[in-house]
Amino acid sequence: MNSNSNGLPPRRQAPTQSGASGSKNGKGKQPKKKKRMNAFGRIFLSLLVIAILVGGGYAYWVYNQVVDTGIDKPVPPGMSATTKPITMLLLGTDNRPETGTYLSDVVMVASLNPETKTATIVSLPRDTRIQLDGYKSNKLNSYYPRFKAQEKTTGKNAEDQMKEMMGKYLDVDINYTTVLNFQAFRDAVNAVGGVDVTVDKNMCYRDTADGTDINLVAGAQHLDGKAALDFVRYRKSNCNPKTAESNDFDRNKRQNQVLNSMLDQMKSLGGITKISKVIGAVDKNMTTDVESEQMKNFISTYWNISTSDVHYTPVTGEWRSPYVYINETELANAKQALQDTLSGKVTPSSSGE
């Protein structure tokens, strides 16, 4: 099959959708509720950042859905992801219909280099104790809801404040922020037909305030969206008898297990249909400040990135209630890993896949 200048298969003419509206002249703030036409780019972007890296055929399909859509605003000069290394903050919040909270249970920073086709993803425990000039010391997951509450008085949106703070903490300029909430996680798991995981321990916890009712039995399980979220979130038990507690590092391992199972499901028979359902599930539960045109740039640049060229750098530490005290050596290594990717010092694998 022939390829275009971006290395993608030749683009088919996207079908015209009745009732589709154009962009708003690129002026003013980008609306909080993104138009449906951006959903395809957003889901690919998030899957890329958290390393649910689908194959080229899937990326080709996604590319065809977004390539002819309008843009909300132009990509700033010199910022195209096709030529410039980009850094993104990814937040997974506990916001869902039962609550009005925005605690960030997942905090990741990813750097991507278009020349080497490599990426580094740094993850931090939600209970990390942050000690940073200009900020009151607190748990990492508490800052985003605090910034959300201050938006009207400070005139700054919470995403920009998180981008600034995490950039300062990791010594790197962060270009974009994507926020995904719990409802999106549940809906996305349901959209792929559930996930197959191994539950590492019995888990029981109930909270009538927000409707939490975790009750999982150790062993191989097929979980729907609610149960998968329970599996990822479980920390401690208030049941009788109590079940064993869990820490941030256990939760990160379980999160990866669910994401890997989702990837397997999307690669299975009917994967294209499943991705389409995931797009619909995530559409109303994610916000990002990435321009529509930039989404296309991400797709055309990283559609065939090799999974061996996505380097995970989890930062751990010591749990001393109520905080995780970060291992300073690991933190320094994570900072360097982000910088090395951005500067092109990370050598790509020879697989070329």
Side-chain angles (χ1 to χ4, degrees), residues 198-212:
T198 300
V199 179
D200 50 298
K201 65 186 74 177
N202 291 338
M203 301 177 183
C204 181
Y205 179 81
R206 297 183 179 91
D207 186 346
T208 56
D210 66 0
T212 299

Side-chain angles (χ1 to χ4, degrees), residues 7 9 32-33 63 67 69 81 104-105 146 152 174 180 196 201 232 263 273 276 307 310 331 335-337:
K32 291 288 185 181
K33 292 276 189 179
Y63 183 84
V67 73
T69 62
S104 45
D105 275 16
R146 180 187 299 176
K152 291 183 179 178
I174 298 178
L180 189 72
D196 294 315
K201 65 186 74 177
V232 170
L263 173 58
T273 300
S276 180
T307 53
V310 180
L331 180 60
K335 292 178 181 180
Q336 190 61 53

Side-chain angles (χ1 to χ4, degrees), residues 85 123 201 277:
S123 63
K201 65 186 74 177
K277 290 180 179 178

Side-chain angles (χ1 to χ4, degrees), residues 213-239:
D213 185 5
I214 300 175
N215 189 11
L216 297 172
V217 178
Q221 306 278 354
H222 182 81
L223 306 181
D224 63 10
K226 177 194 176 301
L229 181 60
D230 291 344
F231 174 60
V232 170
R233 292 186 64 213
Y234 176 76
R235 295 171 63 81
K236 60 183 179 180
S237 177
N238 59 0
C239 300

Side-chain angles (χ1 to χ4, degrees), residues 150-167:
Q150 297 173 347
E151 282 182 330
K152 291 183 179 178
T153 56
T154 62
K156 295 182 178 179
N157 69 52
E159 293 76 21
D160 284 345
Q161 293 202 68
M162 281 298 296
K163 191 161 38 180
E164 182 179 342
M165 186 189 83
M166 291 308 300

Side-chain angles (χ1 to χ4, degrees), residues 89-107:
L89 169 66
L90 178 69
L91 300 175
T93 76
D94 69 349
N95 186 256
R96 56 200 190 281
E98 307 94 296
T99 71
T101 56
Y102 290 91
L103 293 171
S104 45
D105 275 16
V106 176
V107 180

Side-chain angles (χ1 to χ4, degrees), residues 18 42 71 80 89 126 152 221 225 233 254 258 285 295 348:
S18 60
R42 295 210 309 281
I71 59 174
S80 173
L89 169 66
R126 52 164 274 168
K152 291 183 179 178
Q221 306 278 354
R233 292 186 64 213
R254 296 199 296 266
V258 170
N285 297 293
M295 293 175 190

